[in-house]
């Protein structure tokens, strides 16, 4: 039984295009008038990184489940695939951003004439040619693997051949190995090197955990939107429950890594390290606590009971708050090092750019969803996902 | 519940429910085999060696150890961390794999949990003996005393006390709650009166009624939900012992998740080492199948790779930080006087587990067994490298020193092995090593031959 | 329960099927004893979802409060001592012990609640109806306290039709 095909209706098209237009307009406003080009560039980096990472989490979702031979995920696999289709687009945008001056504008270490002793020591790693090589390798690797994983997954729809199932598993393993290294290194390159003097070994995993929680929340929101439009009828309460557990669990996991990093730096109290949190606490104390509340306190308290994980009435508001919360997490990672405490703010540029990227992300995802049935109904595990119960 | 036909069965041999009961209870029945007697003799001998070492430490003093002013922690804390790490597999299997709905865990969780409990006992012993006056061990708990002084809640060593104690107590009830229905099975199958009375007492009056089962399932799930973050917290707090300091090589933010991953890595290695022998010796090959072993090797690949990435990250960031002491600490690890330990660790932990990518290797029981031993050795050296090489050359070259273990310290370590195997061998005789009731729940969905009914 | 009837099945699927038949005849099944948890059985018998999780929550909340405020009290009121340049009210330092206390109390609260609720414990005097229910038998119990003799016959026929084996009357 082939699942219902998705078609993007006119109204949604228009809404998404308007959202993208708002993004473009607020970027222009940011660049030409008002807050200035640096703040606009920082926003561009933030949103570009955020939505690119959400795409990657989509791919991570598919591949991790494929490798662990889980069954239930197949019911929402197509949504995760749709999210992953943003990877090449986000990748190109990021590359264009760096090449068109974003790199020089935001990253202190590119200013090679005025490097202090510490930063001079880092030039074997932090130099432009090597930076671009790494960026290219990551973006190309992700895009190519995303393409082949999607292709194999669609081939599985034709007759559910074992060959494609095995190939999907092999490709997934390849992606996971590549992603394990590239997600860490790319977060050093694109985010940690903003505060070029500062370093933390946990940084890469911390950023990953943040994006993971946000990615699951985005997946839940997309699922909700599709169900509201009358699609995804094969998804039942059990699947929603499982996604709710993920959101709950990964939010706790994020808090765990946040605490580990913060506590160790606070406790050892080495000036070179504490300066990072000192600045964030001094100039961004509001965002600092909003971030913790939205990313941990809200999902932890709201999703504790079984019923709240099973109904959209609680799950959706929480997901939206978590997506916003991790946006603020990135805000805290990027803004202090690029535009600093005095010049940064939260206004039209921030909101507009985010709306624009959200529109683009949704549009790309929806267009991908329209290309194939909404469920991999010939996947060997698809039938399993229709018949199971969550006991917790 | 529908299960895809392409999945491999978890129970082989077309078992019926009563056959399962019989097979799993078999190792407990009758007289123990010759091998069991040999095993327990060796274990008790090791335990006696340990007792001698405790006597030496307490009677003569901590001077019988190889520690010196520069290297204040070495062998004992290495063993402590190593045993705690081994104690991570059991609860990981029962809690986290349950939440991730991995059904292969049902055959191995019981023995892994027992192993966890014993390993925590072995681990807890080392900090206690390191205090020198083991009889004053209760000082570590906050209690109103005549000095009106409390413990230092700012100290990670105290957090350890709470973490290890909680972990032991929660693992204990988690294990026992799961064991109650199986003890009832032993009770109902027991022939002799004394045996029946003992197991009746231990079974807490289990009747198997539907009310009991529903609550049993609920309580198991909630305990799993509580135990899952608890597993993460224990080795996290152990890593805080090092990472909260300002010692190069110790103070690094990646330690918490990296220690947890390493702990699960070494724990699974120990489970593999034990179960590959146990499944043969106890005739449980149809329950602990190659699929179970393979699944465990996959967990080893995952956690081993995370550990590998953490090694590389630490090394890279030490260079990237631009701090000369950090840089020196890591160069000293790799090329200093303890380089041999570092390269043993690298080979055993980073390279050997990657061999499991090859299907031929991970389905060959002998090779898996050997690799699991390598991982155990590698993880011991990891702790040794972290502790000793970071300490032995500090900021003042005049106080640089080397460390060599003494016979007393070796005795303490061998003694914990004695304790571990003695208790494990007793466990095999006293309780069913596989969760009987749990394995019956997966039987229908996952057997190689449809079950024949034996109507009697 | 002084007067009751037992019967058994050898397979959980037969059991569920049989139970549906028996209950549709209007006979109330008092209890079912099984060697392992049979999914869907609680619904057939009409049990509500267990509320044990509430107790775990209370235990956890209590552990959090006790753990946190005890440390805070010791370090700010009872015996403030400066350690390693940390403030007296050092919130990050209190987190590990607070967390462990929360887990410890939650786990023990729920296990004790479970044991008491289930009437389990050392020396418990629960009746063991059939020694094979921990092996391979699925036993059903039907209380006959308020039934007359002819009604009992009726129940027995229903059970027989529902495929139950070894129907025995115990007085």
């Amino acid at each position: 039984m082939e699942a219902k095909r998705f078609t993007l209706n006119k109204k949604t098209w228009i809404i998404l295009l308007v959202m993208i237009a708002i993004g473009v307009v607020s970027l222009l406003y940011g660049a030409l008038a008002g807050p200035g080009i640096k703040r606009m560039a920082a926003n561009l980096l933030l949103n570009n990184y955020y939505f690119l990472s959400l795409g990657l989490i989509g791919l991570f979702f598919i591949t991790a489940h494929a490798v662990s031979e889980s069954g239930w995920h197949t019911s929402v696999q197509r949504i995760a695939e749709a999210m992953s289709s943003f990877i090449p687009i986000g990748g190109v945008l990021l590359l264009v951003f760096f090449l068109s001056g974003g790199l020089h504008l935001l990253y202190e270490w590119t200013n090679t004439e005025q490097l202090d002793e510490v930063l001079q020591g880092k030039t074997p790693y932090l130099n432009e040619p090597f930076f671009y090589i790494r960026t290219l390798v990551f973006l190309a690797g992700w895009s190519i693997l995303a393409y082949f994983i999607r292709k194999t997954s669609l081939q599985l729809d034709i007759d559910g051949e074992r060959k494609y199932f095995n190939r999907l598993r092999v490709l997934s393993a390849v992606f996971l190995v590549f992603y394990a290294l590239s997600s860490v290194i790319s977060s050093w390159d694109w985010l940690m090197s903003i505060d070029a003097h500062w370093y933390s070994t946990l940084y890469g995993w911390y950023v990953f955990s943040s994006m993971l929680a946000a990615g699951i929340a985005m997946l839940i929101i997309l699922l909700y939107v599709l169900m509201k439009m009358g699609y995804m009828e094969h998804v039942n309460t059990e699947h929603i429950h499982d996604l709710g557990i993920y959101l709950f669990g990964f939010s706790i996991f994020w808090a765990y890594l946040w605490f580990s990093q913060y506590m160790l730096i606070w406790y050892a109290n080495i000036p070179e390290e504490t300066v990072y949190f000192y600045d964030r606490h001094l100039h961004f104390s509001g965002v600092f606590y909003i971030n913790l509340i939205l990313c941990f306190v809200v999902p932890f308290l709201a999703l504790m009971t079984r019923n709240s994980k099973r109904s959209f009435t609680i799950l959706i508001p929480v997901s939206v708050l978590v997506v916003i919360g991790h946006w603020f997490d990135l805000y805290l990672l990027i803004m202090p090092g690029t535009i600093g405490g005095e010049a940064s703010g939260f206004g039209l540029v921030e909101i507009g750019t985010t709306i624009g990227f959200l529109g683009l992300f949704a549009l790309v995802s929806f267009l991908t969803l329209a290309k194939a049935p909404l469920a991999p109904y010939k996947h060997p595990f698809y039938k399993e996902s229709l018949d199971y119960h969550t006991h917790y | 519940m529908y299960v895809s036909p392409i999945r491999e069965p978890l129970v082989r041999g077309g078992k019926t429910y009563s056959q399962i009961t019989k097979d799993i209870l078999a190792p407990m029945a009758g007289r123990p085999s010759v091998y069991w007697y040999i095993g327990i003799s060796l274990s008790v001998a090791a335990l006696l060696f340990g007792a001698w070492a405790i006597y030496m430490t307490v009677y003569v003093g901590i001077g019988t150890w190889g520690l010196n002013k520069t290297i204040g922690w070495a062998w004992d804390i290495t063993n402590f961390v190593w045993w705690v790490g081994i104690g991570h597999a059991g609860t990981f299997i029962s809690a986290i794999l349950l939440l991730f709905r991995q059904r292969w865990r049902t055959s191995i969780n019981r023995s892994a949990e027992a192993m966890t409990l014993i390993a925590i006992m072995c681990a807890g012993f080392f900090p206690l003996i390191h205090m020198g006056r083991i009889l004053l061990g209760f000082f570590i708990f906050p209690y109103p005393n005549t000095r009106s002084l409390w413990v230092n809640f700012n100290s990670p060593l105290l957090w350890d006390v709470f973490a290890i104690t909680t972990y032991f107590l929660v693992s204990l009830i988690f294990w026992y709650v799961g064991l109650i229905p199986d003890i009832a099975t032993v009770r109902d199958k027991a022939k002799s009166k004394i045996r029946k009375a003992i197991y009746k007492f231990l079974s807490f009056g289990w009747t198997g009624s539907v009310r009991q089962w529903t609550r049993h399932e609920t309580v198991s799930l909630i305990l799993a939900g509580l135990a899952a973050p608890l597993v993460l917290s224990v080795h996290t707090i152990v890593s805080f012992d090092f990472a909260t300091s300002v010692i190069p090589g110790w103070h690094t933010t990646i330690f918490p998740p990296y220690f947890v991953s390493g702990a699960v890595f070494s724990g699974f290695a120990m489970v593999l080492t034990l179960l590959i022998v146990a499944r043969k010796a106890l005739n449980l090959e149809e329950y602990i199948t190659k699929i179970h072993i393979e699944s465990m090797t996959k967990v080893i690949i995952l956690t081993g790779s995370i550990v590998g990435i953490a090694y590389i990250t630490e090394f890279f960031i030490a260079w990237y930080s631009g701090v000369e002491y950090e840089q020196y600490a890591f160069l000293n690890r790799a090329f200093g006087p303890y380089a041999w330990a570092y390269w043993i660790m690298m080979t055993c932990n980073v390279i050997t587990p990657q061999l499991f990518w090859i299907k031929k290797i991970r389905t060959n029981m002998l090779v898996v067994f050997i690799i699991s031993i390598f991982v155990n050795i590698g993880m011991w050296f990891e702790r040794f490298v972290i502790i000793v090489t970071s300490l032995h050359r500090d900021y003042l070259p005049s106080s640089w020193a080397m460390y060599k273990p003494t016979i007393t310290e070796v005795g303490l370590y061998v003694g914990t092995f004695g304790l571990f195997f003695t208790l494990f061998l007793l466990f095999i005789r006293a309780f069913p090593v596989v969760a009987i009731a749990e394995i019956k729940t997966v039987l229908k969905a996952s057997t190689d031959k449809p079950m024949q009914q034996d109507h009697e | 329960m002084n007067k009751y009837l037992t019967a058994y099945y050898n397979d959980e699927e037969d059991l569920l099927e049989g139970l549906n038949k028996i209950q549709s005849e209007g006979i109330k099944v008092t209890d079912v004893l099984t060697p392992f948890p049979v999914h869907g059985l609680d619904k057939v018998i009409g049990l509500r979802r267990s509320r044990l999780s509430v107790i775990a929550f209370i235990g956890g909340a209590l552990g959090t409060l006790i753990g946190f405020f005890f440390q805070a009290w010791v370090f700010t009121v009872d015996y403030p001592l400066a350690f390693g340049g940390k403030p007296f009210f050092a919130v990050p330092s209190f987190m590990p012990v607070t967390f462990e206390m929360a887990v410890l109390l939650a786990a023990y609260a729920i296990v004790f609640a479970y044991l008491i609720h289930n009437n389990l414990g050392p020396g418990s005097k629960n009746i063991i109806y059939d020694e094979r229910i921990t092996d391979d038998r699925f036993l059903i119990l039907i209380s006959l306290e308020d039934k007359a003799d002819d009604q009992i016959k009726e129940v027995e026929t229903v059970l027989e039709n529902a495929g139950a084996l070894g129907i025995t009357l115990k007085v």
Side-chain angles (χ1 to χ4, degrees):
Chain A
M1 20 112 214
E2 188 169 338
K4 206 161 139 193
R5 294 290 282 243
F6 174 78
T7 42
L8 192 54
N9 60 31
K10 227 180 194 152
K11 204 176 119 201
T12 323
W13 255 109
I14 293 169
I15 293 173
L16 294 177
L17 287 178
V18 169
M19 283 170 81
I20 295 170
I22 291 174
V24 174
V25 169
S26 45
L27 278 176
L28 287 176
Y29 162 76
L32 304 174
I37 188 124
K38 211 167 172 187
R39 191 164 141 192
M40 166 230 144
N43 271 297
L44 209 51
L45 174 68
L46 194 167
N47 285 301
N48 202 331
Y49 185 84
Y50 195 27
F51 287 95
L52 175 63
S53 300
L54 293 185
L56 282 164
I57 294 301
L59 199 53
F60 176 78
F61 184 86
I62 304 163
T63 50
H65 283 111
V67 166
S68 66
E69 297 188 9
S70 111
W72 71 271
H73 77 283
T74 48
S75 61
V76 292
Q77 184 178 328
R78 286 284 185 256
I79 303 179
E81 279 171 19
M83 285 166 72
S84 75
S85 65
F86 188 74
I87 295 170
I89 291 158
V92 170
L93 286 176
L94 192 65
L95 201 60
V96 171
F97 168 76
F98 283 141
L99 284 170
S100 62
L103 191 65
H104 285 270
L105 209 53
L106 300 182
Y107 295 80
E108 176 190 9
W109 55 266
T110 52
N111 199 350
T112 41
E113 268 108 64
Q114 293 173 322
L115 292 183
D116 57 26
E117 207 183 321
V118 176
L119 291 191
Q120 268 170 16
K122 297 186 185 189
T123 43
Y125 182 76
L126 289 181
N127 62 66
E128 279 186 53
F130 194 24
F131 176 88
Y132 278 116
I133 291 172
R134 291 194 302 266
T135 302
L136 259 180
V137 169
F138 299 150
L139 295 176
W142 294 337
S143 305
I144 291 166
L145 282 165
Y147 171 78
F148 280 108
I149 287 167
R150 165 79 173 171
K151 192 177 154 194
T152 317
S153 168
L154 291 184
Q155 276 168 332
L156 205 56
D157 264 3
I158 300 167
D159 46 11
E161 249 187 280
R162 201 56 198 273
K163 187 175 83 183
Y164 295 117
F165 173 72
N166 288 338
R167 187 183 294 168
L168 191 62
R169 225 167 28 171
V170 172
L171 281 172
S172 299
V174 173
F175 171 78
L176 288 176
V177 171
F178 181 67
Y179 185 59
L181 291 167
S182 56
S183 70
V184 170
I185 300 174
S186 68
S187 72
W188 296 340
D189 286 354
W190 301 338
L191 299 177
M192 195 165 87
S193 78
I194 290 172
D195 299 277
H197 290 88
W198 185 78
Y199 57 90
S200 167
T201 38
L202 186 57
Y203 197 84
W205 292 351
Y206 169 74
V207 174
F208 168 73
S209 74
S210 173
M211 294 301 111
L212 183 60
I216 297 295
M218 186 53 99
L219 184 67
I220 295 171
I221 295 170
L222 282 175
L223 174 66
Y224 174 72
V225 171
L226 285 172
M227 286 177 95
K228 272 277 131 157
M229 289 176 175
Y231 299 99
M232 305 295 286
E233 282 148 347
H234 59 277
V235 172
N236 59 37
T237 323
E238 310 296 334
H239 301 128
I240 296 162
H241 189 178
D242 268 351
L243 289 170
I245 291 170
Y246 272 0
L247 187 61
F248 180 67
F250 293 141
S251 295
I252 295 174
F253 184 65
W254 173 86
Y256 160 62
L257 292 186
W258 184 94
F259 177 73
S260 298
Q261 181 164 280
Y262 178 82
M263 205 281 281
L264 289 176
I265 289 174
W266 171 83
Y267 199 105
N269 207 4
I270 297 171
E272 284 86 344
E273 292 180 354
T274 41
V275 65
Y276 183 82
F277 284 114
Y278 181 76
D279 190 29
R280 275 152 183 79
H281 205 263
L282 193 68
H283 297 294
F284 297 86
S285 56
V287 183
F288 188 84
Y289 289 109
I290 288 173
N291 176 24
L292 279 178
I293 291 167
L294 292 185
C295 298
F296 173 63
V297 180
V298 167
F300 179 70
L301 292 179
L303 297 181
M304 208 183 272
T305 67
R306 175 185 149 95
N307 288 340
S308 60
K309 296 189 203 89
R310 292 173 79 86
S311 79
F312 274 138
T313 35
I314 295 173
L315 198 53
I316 286 301
V318 172
S319 300
V320 171
L321 289 177
V322 168
V323 167
I324 295 170
H326 287 286
W327 188 93
F328 276 115
D329 197 11
L330 276 181
Y331 184 91
L332 267 185
L333 297 183
I334 292 171
M335 295 302 172
T338 50
I339 37 183
E342 276 86 47
S344 69
F346 185 76
L348 209 63
V349 193
E350 279 75 16
I351 298 169
T353 318
T354 312
I355 290 176
F357 265 93
L358 184 64
L360 184 63
F361 181 79
L363 183 64
V364 173
S365 302
F366 283 145
L367 288 177
T368 314
L369 278 173
K371 281 185 196 144
L374 282 171
Y377 57 98
K378 277 185 178 158
H379 192 290
F381 295 156
Y382 178 59
K383 254 177 95 182
E384 271 184 17
S385 94
L386 300 182
D387 174 37
Y388 80 101
H389 297 280
T390 314
H391 294 288
Y392 16 98
Chain B
M1 193 164 187
Y2 177 82
V3 172
S4 172
I6 70 165
R7 289 192 194 271
E8 299 250 17
L10 292 170
V11 182
R12 295 194 165 273
K15 301 287 179 195
T16 63
Y17 293 135
S18 68
Q19 260 174 309
I20 291 181
T21 316
K22 209 182 282 166
D23 288 351
I24 294 173
L25 292 186
M28 294 171 61
R31 290 191 169 279
S33 69
V34 178
Y35 298 108
W36 190 87
Y37 280 115
I38 295 173
I40 198 105
S41 318
L42 288 174
S43 310
V44 171
L47 200 55
L48 289 174
F49 187 24
W52 171 81
I54 294 173
Y55 170 77
M56 286 302 283
T57 309
V58 175
Y59 187 74
V60 180
I62 217 120
T64 51
W65 293 10
L67 302 177
N68 50 49
K69 275 179 96 171
T70 309
I71 304 161
W73 278 4
W75 187 269
D76 50 337
I77 304 299
T78 303
N79 294 332
F80 162 66
V81 182
W82 187 74
W83 276 119
V84 180
I86 285 177
H88 270 57
T91 313
F92 181 88
I93 289 169
S94 326
I96 293 180
L97 293 186
L98 184 132
L99 296 180
F100 278 118
R101 218 174 284 124
Q102 296 285 334
R103 281 187 303 174
W104 54 270
R105 75 171 202 289
T106 47
S107 305
I108 54 171
N109 57 359
R110 177 63 39 78
S111 47
E113 276 176 52
M115 203 190 80
T116 291
L117 289 172
I118 307 170
I120 304 169
M121 290 183 213
C122 295
F125 163 72
F126 282 101
L128 285 174
I129 191 80
H130 192 157
M131 292 174 197
R133 299 190 183 183
I134 200 161
L135 299 176
L136 298 181
F138 61 90
F139 274 24
I140 57 177
F141 291 106
Y143 65 99
N145 52 42
T146 48
R147 294 152 288 147
S148 68
L149 188 66
W150 297 101
V151 290
N152 179 5
F153 289 112
N154 266 326
S155 165
L157 300 181
L158 181 86
W159 306 343
D160 251 358
V161 172
F162 277 83
I164 305 279
T165 315
T166 305
Y167 188 49
F168 181 76
L169 292 175
V170 173
S171 297
L172 184 71
I173 43 165
F174 195 12
W175 177 73
Y176 202 81
V177 164
L179 201 53
I180 288 174
D182 289 354
I183 295 178
T185 307
V186 183
R187 171 197 71 197
D188 292 345
K189 288 279 161 195
K191 301 254 154 50
S192 82
K193 261 211 171 112
I194 304 168
R195 203 176 159 84
K196 200 156 206 129
I198 293 171
Y199 284 100
K200 185 169 181 187
F201 180 79
L202 292 175
S203 74
F204 285 8
W206 178 263
T207 62
S209 84
V210 61
R211 281 171 188 79
Q212 287 188 344
W213 273 121
T214 7
R215 290 177 199 135
H216 180 87
E217 291 225 289
T218 312
V219 84
S220 304
L221 277 163
I222 292 171
L223 280 180
L226 288 169
L230 181 64
V231 182
L232 297 189
S233 83
V234 174
H235 230 57
T236 295
I237 289 174
V238 169
S239 83
F240 286 167
D241 293 350
F242 306 101
T244 50
S245 71
V246 289
I247 293 172
W250 280 11
H251 175 67
T252 173
T253 50
I254 207 170
F255 258 26
Y258 147 53
F259 262 52
V260 172
S261 182
V264 175
F265 181 53
S266 69
F268 267 77
M270 192 52 119
V271 175
L272 275 176
T273 312
L274 282 185
L275 284 189
I276 287 175
V277 178
R279 70 194 279 269
K280 261 241 142 57
L282 306 177
N283 280 324
L284 293 173
E285 280 159 305
E286 281 159 337
Y287 300 95
I288 303 166
T289 65
K290 285 200 170 172
I291 296 302
H292 295 94
I293 305 290
E294 251 195 284
S295 304
M296 282 191 266
T297 61
K298 285 176 188 167
V299 176
I300 288 203
I301 299 178
L302 172 71
T303 49
S305 306
I306 293 176
V307 168
I309 290 174
Y311 290 162
I312 299 164
T313 306
E314 267 192 304
F315 219 106
F316 173 77
I317 298 286
W319 170 80
Y320 178 88
S321 72
V323 181
E324 62 177 313
Y325 304 108
E326 283 284 335
Q327 292 169 348
Y328 180 75
F330 280 88
L331 286 179
N332 184 43
R333 266 184 200 177
F335 307 109
Y338 284 113
W340 54 274
Y342 181 82
W343 293 108
I344 290 177
M345 159 191 117
M346 274 305 211
T347 323
C348 293
N349 289 351
V350 181
I351 297 166
T352 45
Q354 300 302 327
L355 295 173
F356 284 145
W357 285 102
I358 303 159
K359 179 138 183 144
K360 267 224 174 88
I361 288 181
R362 64 171 190 259
T363 48
N364 184 326
M365 291 305 123
L366 184 66
V367 180
V368 175
F369 180 74
I370 292 167
I371 292 180
S372 77
I373 303 251
F374 269 102
V375 173
N376 284 321
I377 295 170
M379 285 309 290
W380 191 88
F381 273 102
E382 180 197 292
R383 279 65 180 252
F384 183 80
V385 165
I386 289 173
I387 294 169
V388 174
T389 65
S390 307
L391 287 178
H392 87 119
R393 288 189 168 174
D394 58 9
Y395 296 102
L396 270 181
S398 61
S399 62
W400 286 7
M402 293 293 285
Y403 165 79
K404 236 189 259 150
T406 62
I407 185 79
T408 317
E409 286 174 296
V410 175
L412 293 173
Y413 186 44
V414 173
T416 50
F417 268 104
L419 180 68
F420 184 77
F421 286 109
T422 308
L423 291 179
F424 193 78
L425 286 167
L426 291 176
F427 160 73
I428 288 176
R429 292 291 300 169
F431 296 114
V433 276
V434 175
I436 305 175
E438 279 186 58
I439 207 151
K440 282 175 184 166
T441 61
V442 301
L443 179 71
K444 271 281 174 65
S446 201
T447 181
D448 52 350
K449 277 178 245 157
M451 184 164 82
Q452 307 105 24
Q453 286 298 329
D454 43 359
H455 292 283
E456 297 161 51
Chain C
M1 207 155 53
N2 297 323
K3 196 160 122 196
Y4 62 93
L5 200 144
T6 66
Y8 68 86
Y9 290 91
N10 278 319
D11 189 275
E12 74 270 26
E13 279 155 35
D14 299 347
L15 169 78
L16 286 173
E17 221 172 280
L19 276 179
N20 278 329
K21 268 187 206 158
I22 295 164
Q23 304 238 32
S24 66
E25 295 287 330
I27 296 165
K28 205 178 151 7
V29 175
T30 318
D31 209 344
V32 184
L33 311 179
T34 58
F36 57 85
V38 176
H39 289 306
L41 197 57
D42 46 344
K43 286 202 188 92
V44 176
I45 297 295
L47 289 183
R48 278 195 312 167
R49 271 194 80 80
S50 164
R51 304 274 280 277
L52 282 168
S53 47
V54 179
I55 291 170
F57 177 79
I58 294 170
L62 216 61
T64 311
L65 295 177
I66 293 174
F68 187 83
F69 286 108
F70 181 70
Q71 296 178 78
W73 172 75
V74 165
F75 270 15
T76 57
V77 180
D78 193 51
Y79 206 137
L81 268 177
F83 290 106
K86 304 280 170 292
F88 292 136
F89 188 60
V91 177
S93 270
F94 297 161
M95 284 302 141
V97 173
T98 307
F99 171 80
E100 300 299 333
M101 287 304 286
V103 172
L104 186 66
L105 288 201
Y108 273 79
I110 190 179
V111 167
F112 278 111
Y114 157 78
L115 292 177
I116 293 164
H117 206 37
N118 257 356
N119 198 17
L120 291 174
S124 166
K125 294 206 168 47
N126 292 338
I127 306 161
I128 288 136
Y129 290 97
D130 185 339
E131 292 205 330
R132 277 184 59 181
I133 64 104
T134 53
D135 182 7
D136 61 346
R137 254 181 205 172
F138 303 79
L139 195 79
I140 53 177
L141 288 175
I142 297 170
S143 171
L144 301 170
E145 297 287 273
D146 51 350
K147 296 250 185 338
D149 284 355
D150 54 329
Q151 281 174 308
I152 293 170
K153 267 270 161 306
E154 225 171 88
V155 173
E156 281 179 347
T157 4
V158 171
L159 281 178
E160 243 169 78
N161 290 338
L165 305 165
I167 303 161
T168 24
L169 183 67
K170 289 180 184 165
V171 183

